[in-house]
Amino acid sequence: MEVGAVAAMRYVKDGIRAARLVMRHTQHTLLVGEAASDFAISMGLPGPTNLSSPDSMEKWNKWKENGCQPNFWKNVVPVNSCGPHHPKDVSSLEELTEVTCSSSNHLEALASNSHHISLHNHDTISMAAIDKTGYIAVGTSTNGATFKIPGRVGDGPIAGSSAYADSEVGACGATGDGDVMMRFLPCYQVVENMRLGMEPKLAAKDAITRIARKYPDFVGAVFAVDKNGLHAGACHGWTFQYSVRSPDMEDVQVFTVLP
């Protein structure tokens, strides 16, 4: 039940180490933004550092030239530019409230941006480890959704969403459309399923199915491992792979999970 996380942190490359420092040296769970960067640097991590690469700058320039499309805005104007953005057909806060409460379509409200998520623009890394005494730890690190709105925080630093562990039960890691998945805390669900007696395969499948019932177009996956090392994965919208290494294995083994 020890947790540390950082979000929207800039200028510091090693987010997972920063999160561990939050866990080990503060009584907080989550630090964000420039203050998270300041904390990480003050605790000895390298920075401030320019984290842009030639590839990322080229991708960003092409995106700007394409009118900042695709993006994660909705119900705003202008549609085909980089902003600033304003609510569509709403001139006051009162009208915005009225539109939101009375006119919004429920299915539109549930629409996700999963079309932005693919094997080619994803960099989430989630890892679980069981030590010789049976203690279980899990961590997740990601740059977040490509072309996200500045300030966006996805499921990566949210305990129970992208990662969760209980040494009495097991652990889970997740990846995919974090803006949707974080609404379900899928990794918490996986661990609780295993606590209730489900094997990892069924526990993972149940958590993914709960999301798919509400968001049939979402893309995502979870892995589950119990305290005895039994593992499995479940996914929706793509073919998912995860790897395993144990002391009795000569090398890492990759497992493929079909949707």
Side-chain angles (χ1 to χ4, degrees):
M1 295 292 102
E2 289 186 286
V3 182
V6 292
M9 186 178 69
R10 306 178 68 184
Y11 312 122
V12 177
K13 184 177 182 179
D14 201 336
I16 203 75
R17 288 183 65 193
R20 192 164 186 263
L21 289 169
V22 173
M23 181 182 72
R24 294 190 65 184
H25 298 294
T26 82
Q27 297 183 45
H28 302 309
T29 295
L30 173 63
L31 299 182
V32 302
E34 301 287 345
S37 302
D38 292 342
F39 166 82
I41 294 169
S42 73
M43 296 300 290
L45 295 187
T49 304
N50 182 357
L51 302 181
S52 298
S53 68
D55 287 343
S56 68
M57 290 302 300
E58 180 182 5
K59 182 184 294 185
W60 182 77
N61 285 324
K62 288 182 178 179
W63 179 69
K64 295 281 284 188
E65 293 170 0
N66 194 40
C68 298
Q69 301 295 321
N71 60 47
F72 287 84
W73 292 94
K74 66 178 184 180
N75 301 325
V76 295
V77 290
V79 175
N80 295 313
S81 80
C82 295
H85 299 85
H86 304 286
K88 185 177 182 180
D89 299 327
V90 176
S91 58
S92 68
L93 181 60
E94 290 77 12
E95 291 179 21
L96 176 61
T97 303
E98 181 180 353
V99 169
T100 302
C101 294
S102 63
S103 302
S104 61
N105 181 283
H106 180 65
L107 291 179
E108 289 180 352
L110 290 178
S112 76
N113 285 291
S114 288
H115 59 279
H116 295 312
I117 309 299
S118 75
L119 295 175
H120 303 292
N121 68 358
H122 224 58
D123 64 355
T124 303
I125 298 174
S126 187
M127 300 181 69
I130 305 175
D131 71 11
K132 293 180 180 180
T133 66
Y135 183 84
I136 303 175
V138 64
T140 298
S141 176
T142 179
N143 280 322
T146 304
F147 309 131
K148 58 186 174 287
I149 297 172
R152 179 259 189 186
V153 174
D155 68 327
I158 306 303
S161 187
S162 72
Y164 196 75
D166 186 330
S167 295
E168 296 178 352
V169 183
C172 167
T175 182
D177 189 345
D179 289 293
V180 169
M181 296 177 74
M182 67 194 300
R183 305 174 192 191
F184 296 81
L185 297 180
C187 276
Y188 177 79
Q189 185 65 57
V190 167
V191 173
E192 289 307 297
N193 284 346
M194 292 191 294
R195 191 190 306 277
L196 294 174
M198 286 189 188
E199 62 181 38
K201 184 176 181 179
L202 292 178
K205 183 178 180 180
D206 174 74
I208 288 294
T209 300
R210 289 169 183 259
I211 306 173
R213 280 200 296 263
K214 297 287 187 180
Y215 295 88
D217 295 327
F218 102 98
V219 174
V222 298
F223 73 80
V225 56
D226 69 14
K227 63 181 181 180
N228 299 314
L230 183 64
H231 57 84
C235 59
H236 184 84
W238 62 7
T239 297
F240 173 62
Q241 291 184 312
Y242 69 96
S243 59
V244 176
R245 179 71 184 268
S246 64
D248 58 349
M249 296 169 60
E250 294 184 359
D251 200 355
V252 171
Q253 185 174 355
V254 177
F255 293 83
T256 299
V257 182
L258 301 177

